[in-house]
């Protein structure tokens, strides 16, 4: 079966195998095309936020100068993964993970139904924005970046930020600020071109070496799996080979970096496919883009790792994986 598949796809493989040799040249050329960040308000990347929350996040994310929709989205994703029924061990509740006491002090009835409902995203997401902006007012005179100080206040309290004249020297707080600002890049609509990945060439090389390997659902390529993979197992292993640890599940890998547009794809980008193009939580498949509208992927039971085209009806978008982006993913998304 493997020999038959290799023969059938020899034309495609020969047409694409040179990509690994040209990746560095592609990135050099792409670097020359990179534009500056520019000005203007921050928008949300297509498909980054579930559609039912998109308008809420875009509107309330612009509530004050220290906040933007991508920061608010990064906080909500980090807190609950967009789960409105989430409850933490510390009894933080709902999509925005409010402690009841904090909710009582800062919540608003954003949808005007006469209730401040901690479980209702229509109240909870706006209340999170209101709370952020209240914190930003407390630390507006503290040196440093106002958004960073706002996020530090969210984690450690505004008194600690004022006392230390900026982000406190607490590992947890510094990590929280760094993670949210990194995840912000995953949720923000890119202005100009997304910077190329330096590790992509190695990830592609790894995936090319696995062409023809039979698919195994849940496979990570281990000895126990006889070296077989499923789709996200392959992408995880490919990036692990260049020192980047991705989550195990495809829809968690979606937030491991910024989202280039279809006409800005570069070899090494992860390309994703979803049941609902308005909801990244419905992502069901991932592959590694190699150029020419093709990806290397582990498609399904009975198939082998192979080249396939990416322009399918369920294509939702792409992620340019970064080391910081992968590290910033919530602990619940870890492999």
């Amino acid at each position: 079966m493997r020999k038959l598949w290799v023969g059938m796809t020899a034309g495609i493989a020969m047409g694409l195998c040179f990509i690994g040799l040209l990746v560095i040249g592609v990135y050099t050329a792409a670097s020359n095309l990179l534009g500056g960040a520019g000005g203007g308000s921050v928008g949300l990347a297509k498909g980054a936020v579930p559609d039912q929350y998109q308008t809420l996040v875009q509107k309330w994310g612009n509530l004050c100068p220290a906040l933007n929709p991508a920061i608010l989205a990064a906080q909500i994703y980090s807190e609950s993964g967009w789960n409105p029924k989430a409850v933490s061990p510390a009894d933080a509740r709902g999509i925005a993970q409010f402690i009841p006491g904090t909710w009582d002090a800062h919540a608003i009835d954003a949808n005007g139904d006469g209730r401040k409902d901690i479980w209702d995203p229509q109240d909870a997401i706006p209340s999170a924005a209101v709370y952020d902006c209240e914190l930003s007012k407390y630390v507006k005179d503290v040196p440093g970046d106002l958004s960073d100080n706002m996020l530090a206040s969210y984690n450690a309290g505004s008194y600690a930020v004022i006392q230390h004249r900026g982000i406190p020297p607490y590992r947890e707080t510094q990590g929280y600020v760094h993670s949210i600002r990194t995840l912000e890049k995953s949720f923000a609509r890119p202005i100009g071109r997304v910077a190329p990945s330096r590790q992509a060439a190695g990830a592609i090389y790894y995936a090319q070496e696995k062409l023809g390997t039979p698919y195994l659902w849940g496979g990570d390529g281990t000895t126990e799996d006889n070296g077989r993979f499923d789709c996200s197992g392959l992408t995880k292993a490919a990036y692990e080979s260049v020192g980047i640890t991705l989550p195990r599940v495809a829809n968690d890998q979606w937030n491991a970096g910024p989202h280039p547009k279809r006409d800005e794809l570069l070899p090494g980008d992860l390309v994703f496919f979803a049941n609902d193009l308005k909801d990244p939580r419905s992502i069901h498949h991932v592959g590694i883009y190699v150029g020419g509208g093709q990806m290397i992927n582990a498609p399904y039971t009975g198939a082998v790792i192979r080249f396939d085209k990416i322009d399918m009806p369920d294509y939702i978008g792409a992620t340019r994986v970064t080391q910081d982006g992968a590290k910033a993913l919530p602990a619940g998304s870890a492999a």
Side-chain angles (χ1 to χ4, degrees):
M1 178 178 175
R2 178 169 178 168
K3 290 182 179 179
L4 176 61
W5 174 85
V6 171
M8 292 174 64
T9 59
I12 294 176
M14 290 180 65
L16 293 172
C17 68
F18 73 96
I19 290 171
L21 300 175
L22 295 182
V23 164
I24 302 303
V26 169
Y27 295 150
T28 301
S31 296
N32 294 330
L33 296 173
L34 296 178
S41 61
V42 175
L44 294 170
K46 181 180 178 182
V49 173
D51 190 59
Q52 65 264 46
Y53 306 131
Q54 182 99 9
T55 300
L56 270 178
V57 173
Q58 186 67 54
K59 174 184 175 181
W60 289 92
N62 287 302
L63 186 62
C64 64
L67 190 63
N68 68 54
I71 290 177
L72 182 59
Q75 284 186 289
I76 299 297
Y77 169 74
S78 181
E79 293 292 336
S80 69
W82 306 107
N83 178 7
K85 298 181 180 179
V87 181
S88 79
D91 198 31
R93 303 176 183 179
I95 197 168
Q97 288 291 276
F98 273 98
I99 297 293
T102 305
W103 176 261
D104 292 341
H106 300 280
I108 64 171
D109 175 20
N111 61 5
D113 66 355
R115 296 186 305 149
K116 301 176 183 179
D117 188 350
I118 198 170
W119 302 108
D120 187 349
Q122 300 291 325
D123 286 341
I125 291 174
S127 294
V130 168
Y131 184 44
D132 277 337
C133 291
E134 288 178 1
L135 292 173
S136 75
K137 292 177 181 178
Y138 298 149
V139 297
K140 63 182 178 61
D141 295 325
V142 175
D145 183 89
L146 181 57
S147 298
D148 286 351
N149 289 335
M150 175 191 73
L151 292 170
S153 298
Y154 185 92
N155 180 263
S158 55
Y159 175 77
V161 175
I162 294 169
Q163 180 185 35
H164 290 282
R165 306 289 290 166
I167 302 173
Y170 311 148
R171 178 176 296 181
E172 178 186 332
T173 302
Q174 292 178 346
Y176 178 79
V177 173
H178 180 73
S179 293
I180 297 300
R181 296 312 297 267
T182 301
L183 284 170
E184 175 189 358
K185 299 173 185 176
S186 173
F187 288 98
R189 183 177 63 241
I191 300 175
R193 291 184 177 271
V194 178
S197 166
R198 296 174 182 268
Q199 292 93 346
I204 292 173
Y205 178 79
Y206 181 94
Q208 286 178 327
E209 290 292 295
K210 305 303 178 183
L211 286 168
T213 302
Y215 175 96
L216 175 67
W217 187 85
D220 290 309
T222 62
T223 302
E224 292 79 4
D225 296 330
N226 292 321
R228 295 175 292 171
F229 300 87
D230 64 8
C231 66
S232 56
L234 175 64
T235 52
K236 182 180 187 299
Y239 269 94
E240 202 160 67
S241 74
V242 292
I244 296 178
T245 301
L246 291 172
R248 179 61 182 82
V249 181
N251 59 12
D252 287 333
Q253 294 178 3
W254 169 254
N255 288 297
H259 304 293
K261 299 176 182 177
R262 170 64 183 85
D263 62 359
E264 295 176 351
L265 290 181
L266 290 175
D269 291 345
L270 296 186
V271 285
F272 294 87
F273 305 83
N275 294 318
D276 181 351
L277 300 186
K278 295 180 178 180
D279 190 349
R281 294 172 300 176
S282 72
I283 287 171
H284 63 81
H285 188 60
V286 60
I288 301 178
Y289 187 64
V290 294
Q294 298 280 329
M295 65 178 170
I296 295 175
N297 73 134
Y300 49 77
T301 299
V304 296
I305 294 174
R306 67 191 190 191
F307 293 104
D308 276 316
K309 63 182 181 179
I310 71 165
D311 290 320
M312 302 293 288
D314 56 347
Y315 174 77
I316 189 172
T319 296
R320 189 154 298 156
V321 174
T322 68
Q323 182 79 262
D324 281 349
K327 288 182 178 179
L329 293 172
S333 295

